[in-house]
């Protein structure tokens, strides 16, 4: 019979977790010198080095160039946060089959509550944990069991054997012989303690907790308790995973929309609350209406931004169901095959990034009403029918903006949220103008004195009254399509202000836009 509760804590730690994950996925050769890099550019530093790399002198905190100078055959790879998170989730699922209470304590590290059968000891439980780790190809994992997580973590980090079991009541004695680095002390606090001559757990245990608290605040008392292995943190039962699928059978088959919507509202709200509770949002929602004789009506909707708002998702589904097959609004006809079951499931999830409105912005738009309008347009004309302008980071004017479907453009462009400050009103007599760009520059011809332009928005020549410029723009000198231009503003009597340029590479004049 399993003991449901234990006052002890186990720590499973895989010291080369990120490297083992890369080797498991075929992205690194296990046994070779490997360094995992975090950061970019001048901020890039070694976060983890394999045993072969450490033997060559590579250490965490070194720059990539310093590490490569120590090991000529060193393989550098970047830290893949998504891959690490997926590997941690997979390991957590295996460990949940061994014990119901666990908590992640870092990459490749878990705190767990020991669960042992009668007649077994803690080493049998540790063996089951190691077997679960080997199922994820983590062959170097270590398990330590102690009274608290501080001692268990330190023992798993310093252990040379696969399993270490500290005796009950022995946490403080074990931690006394360790340096303070293994007690979870941060770099800044460690420097202060070393300056005071405190370098080991025994020295920290011998200090007066009142004086530590007076000098360092509450963190000082927490350090003293941690040095004795005393902490309130314990493994917990994991939160339930979000409910991705809800199936609701109707009491009786119906050919009317109202009962179906009533059931859909509750099912969608149930899924949305489960996703929000897990810090996730719905990026794509699938709804299936099961009908008699095997018939089914399937809908798949994608809000313009991932959302966990039940009313918004329900409005999307309601608006789509209100569309009849021939494109005219009206309730669908299910008389031939009434609806018997309703199924709501998440087709694709995303991190939850709630959008906050500004109470002082008069133009803030209701996201529910906006999504309802978008749902009707995309439902009738397709997801690519509604597009928004998106700025592109380039100096080339004709490529500085593109049109993207709402589903791909991102939250900021799709929601239509107003800025926190309303634009200032134009003064009386001011003229509001904007530059109209041609999709592609159009060739034009100038006379010898540059007083007339031919082919510029008019059948006949355009008379130039003034010039402004030049403004030199160029780019992509080493690319496939280099460009070099001198831009001018031409004030004309017939066509207003024209924006033209002279191509310095190929020659010739081009009209690029005008002031409207």
């Amino acid at each position: 019979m399993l003991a449901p509760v234990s006052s002890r804590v186990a720590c499973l730690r895989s010291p080369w977790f990120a490297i083992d994950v890369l080797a498991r996925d075929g992205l690194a050769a296990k046994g070779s010198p490997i360094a995992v890099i975090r950061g970019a550019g001048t901020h890039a530093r070694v976060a983890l080095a394999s045993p072969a790399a450490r033997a060559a002198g590579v250490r965490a905190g070194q720059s990539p160039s310093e590490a490569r100078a120590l090991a000529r055959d060193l393989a550098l790879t970047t830290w893949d946060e998504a891959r690490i998170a997926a590997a941690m989730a997979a390991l957590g699922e295996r460990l949940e089959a061994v014990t119901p209470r666990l908590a992640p304590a870092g990459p490749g590290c878990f705190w767990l509550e020991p669960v042992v059968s009668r007649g077994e000891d803690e080493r049998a439980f540790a063996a089951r944990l190691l077997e679960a780790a080997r199922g994820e190809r983590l062959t170097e994992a270590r398990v330590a069991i102690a009274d608290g997580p501080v001692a268990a973590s330190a023992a798993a980090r310093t252990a040379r054997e696969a399993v270490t079991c500290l005796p009950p009541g022995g946490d403080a004695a074990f931690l006394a012989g360790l340096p303070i680095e293994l007690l979870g002390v941060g770099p800044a606090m460690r420097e202060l303690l070393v300056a005071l001559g405190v370098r080991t757990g025994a020295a920290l245990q011998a200090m007066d907790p009142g004086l530590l608290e007076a000098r360092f605040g509450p963190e000082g008392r927490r350090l003293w308790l941690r040095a004795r292995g005393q902490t309130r943190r314990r493994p917990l039962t994991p939160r339930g995973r979000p409910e991705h699928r809800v199936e609701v059978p109707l009491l009786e088959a119906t050919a009317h929309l109202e009962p179906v919507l009533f059931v859909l509202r509750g099912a969608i709200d149930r899924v949305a609350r489960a996703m929000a509770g897990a810090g996730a949002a719905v990026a794509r929602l699938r709804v299936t209406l099961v009908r008699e004789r095997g018939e089914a009506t399937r809908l798949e909707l994608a809000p313009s931004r991932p959302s966990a708002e039940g009313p918004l998702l329900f409005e999307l589904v309601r608006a789509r169901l209100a569309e009849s097959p021939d494109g005219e609004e009206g309730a669908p006809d299910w008389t031939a095959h009434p609806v018997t079951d309703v199924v709501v499931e998440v087709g694709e999830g995303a991190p939850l990034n709630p959008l906050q409105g500004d109470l002082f912005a008069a133009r803030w738009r209701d996201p529910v009403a906006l999504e309802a309008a978008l749902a009707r347009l995309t439902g009738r004309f397709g997801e690519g029918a509604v597009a928004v302008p998106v700025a592109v980071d380039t100096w080339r004017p004709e490529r500085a903006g593109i049109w993207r479907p709402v589903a791909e453009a991102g939250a900021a462009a799709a929601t239509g949220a107003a800025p926190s400050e309303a634009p200032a009103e134009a003064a009386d007599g001011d003229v509001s103008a904007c530059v109209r760009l041609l999709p592609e520059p159009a060739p034009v011809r100038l006379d010898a004195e540059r007083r007339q332009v031919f082919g510029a928005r008019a059948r006949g020549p355009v008379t130039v009254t003034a010039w402004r410029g030049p403004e030199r723009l160029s780019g992509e000198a080493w690319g496939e399509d280099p460009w070099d231009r001198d831009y001018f503003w031409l004030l004309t009597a017939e066509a207003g202000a024209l924006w033209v340029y002279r191509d310095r590479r190929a020659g010739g004049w081009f009209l690029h836009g005008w002031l409207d």
Side-chain angles (χ1 to χ4, degrees):
M1 181 177 180
L2 295 180
V5 178
S6 173
S7 60
R8 305 268 281 172
V9 176
C11 177
L12 180 140
R13 182 175 182 270
S14 178
W16 322 112
F17 182 72
I19 294 175
D20 287 342
V21 170
L22 293 173
R24 181 193 64 186
D25 296 345
L27 302 177
K30 193 168 184 179
S32 61
I34 304 169
V36 181
I37 306 299
R38 300 191 76 166
T42 57
H43 299 286
R45 290 292 182 270
V46 175
L48 185 66
S50 67
R54 291 180 64 84
V58 180
R59 295 293 185 269
Q62 294 175 343
S63 66
S65 58
E66 292 173 337
R68 197 183 293 276
L70 295 171
R72 186 173 302 177
D73 56 344
L74 179 68
L76 297 178
T77 181
T78 57
W79 183 279
D80 191 335
E81 199 69 45
R83 190 181 299 275
I84 296 299
M88 282 290 289
L91 178 59
E93 289 183 5
R94 287 185 179 270
L95 296 177
E96 283 181 21
V98 181
T99 176
R101 293 186 177 182
L102 70 162
C109 186
F110 278 89
W111 291 339
L112 311 103
E113 182 180 90
V115 176
V116 296
S117 303
R118 288 189 177 181
E120 290 185 344
D121 58 6
E122 292 176 334
R123 289 185 173 274
F125 170 76
R128 291 197 293 272
L129 294 181
L130 292 175
E131 184 179 357
R134 284 192 291 269
E136 294 297 319
R137 301 184 186 178
L138 304 176
T139 57
E140 303 295 330
R142 298 287 185 267
V143 174
I145 301 178
D147 290 341
V150 177
S153 298
R157 189 172 179 179
T158 59
R160 296 184 178 181
E161 298 181 355
V163 177
T164 300
C165 293
L166 299 182
D171 285 12
F174 171 75
L175 295 172
L178 298 179
I180 58 175
E181 289 85 354
L182 296 177
L183 304 181
V185 181
M189 183 64 70
R190 184 167 63 245
E191 290 182 6
L192 292 174
L193 292 175
V194 170
L196 295 174
V198 180
R199 292 180 171 83
T200 64
L204 191 55
Q205 292 175 8
M207 296 188 71
D208 187 337
L211 294 178
L212 281 173
E213 186 172 9
R215 178 155 188 170
F216 301 113
E219 179 62 21
R221 178 171 289 274
R222 284 194 291 268
L223 285 175
W224 184 82
L225 292 174
R226 197 177 300 138
R228 293 175 170 269
Q230 301 173 16
T231 177
R232 296 181 179 179
R233 299 185 65 182
R234 284 293 187 274
L236 300 174
T237 303
R239 294 169 59 184
R241 293 184 177 83
E243 197 166 9
H244 291 88
R245 189 177 189 275
V246 173
E247 183 173 358
V248 182
L250 303 183
L251 294 177
E252 58 181 20
T254 180
H256 302 286
L257 180 60
E258 289 77 9
V260 174
L261 292 177
F262 180 81
V263 175
L264 275 173
R265 184 188 296 273
I268 293 174
D269 186 64
R270 183 172 162 186
V271 170
R273 282 189 285 106
M275 295 290 287
V282 179
R284 189 169 293 273
L285 186 70
R286 297 193 185 105
V287 175
T288 304
L289 305 181
V290 181
R291 298 156 65 183
E292 289 183 345
R293 300 181 184 177
E295 297 288 335
T297 299
R298 294 180 175 85
L299 305 175
E300 186 165 326
L301 306 99
S304 60
R305 60 181 178 87
S307 175
E309 300 180 21
L312 188 150
L313 297 172
F314 171 74
E315 183 63 24
L316 296 182
V317 176
R318 188 201 63 77
R320 181 67 66 85
L321 286 176
E323 299 286 341
S324 61
D326 59 358
E328 298 295 333
E329 291 192 7
D333 184 12
W334 297 320
T335 306
H337 303 290
V339 178
T340 60
D341 298 85
V342 172
V343 180
V344 177
E345 55 187 334
V346 178
E348 181 181 349
L352 179 60
N353 295 309
L355 187 66
Q356 180 176 346
D358 190 340
L359 296 177
F360 300 98
R363 296 191 302 164
W364 173 260
R365 293 170 173 83
D366 181 8
V368 176
L370 177 63
E371 292 290 350
L374 292 176
R376 293 195 177 192
L377 290 172
T378 56
R380 182 175 297 182
F381 303 109
E383 290 189 359
V386 183
V388 295
V390 177
V392 179
D393 187 14
T394 178
W395 285 100
R396 196 159 184 162
E398 65 267 28
R399 298 180 183 175
I402 60 175
W403 290 92
R404 285 184 181 172
V406 169
E408 303 175 6
T415 55
S420 58
E421 295 183 2
E425 297 292 338
D428 293 340
D430 288 354
V431 178
S432 178
C434 64
V435 178
R436 302 287 186 183
L437 286 185
L438 293 170
E440 292 292 336
V444 294
R445 182 170 56 87
L446 278 71
D447 64 353
E449 298 180 353
R450 297 187 180 181
R451 289 298 180 184
Q452 288 187 324
V453 181
F454 298 86
R457 301 183 62 211
R459 294 184 179 180
V462 175
T463 304
V464 180
T465 59
W467 286 70
R468 298 289 186 273
E471 178 188 8
R472 181 162 297 176
L473 296 178
S474 62
E476 305 175 19
W478 293 275
E480 298 180 356
D481 188 15
W483 55 284
D484 189 0
R485 304 168 181 174
D486 282 340
Y487 276 87
F488 299 85
W489 279 105
L490 307 186
L491 304 181
T492 68
E494 297 86 358
L498 304 181
W499 200 37
V500 301
Y501 70 84
R502 182 172 63 89
D503 194 320
R504 290 168 48 85
R505 295 179 60 90
W509 289 86
F510 294 84
L511 173 67
H512 207 154
W514 61 90
L515 199 62
D516 192 356

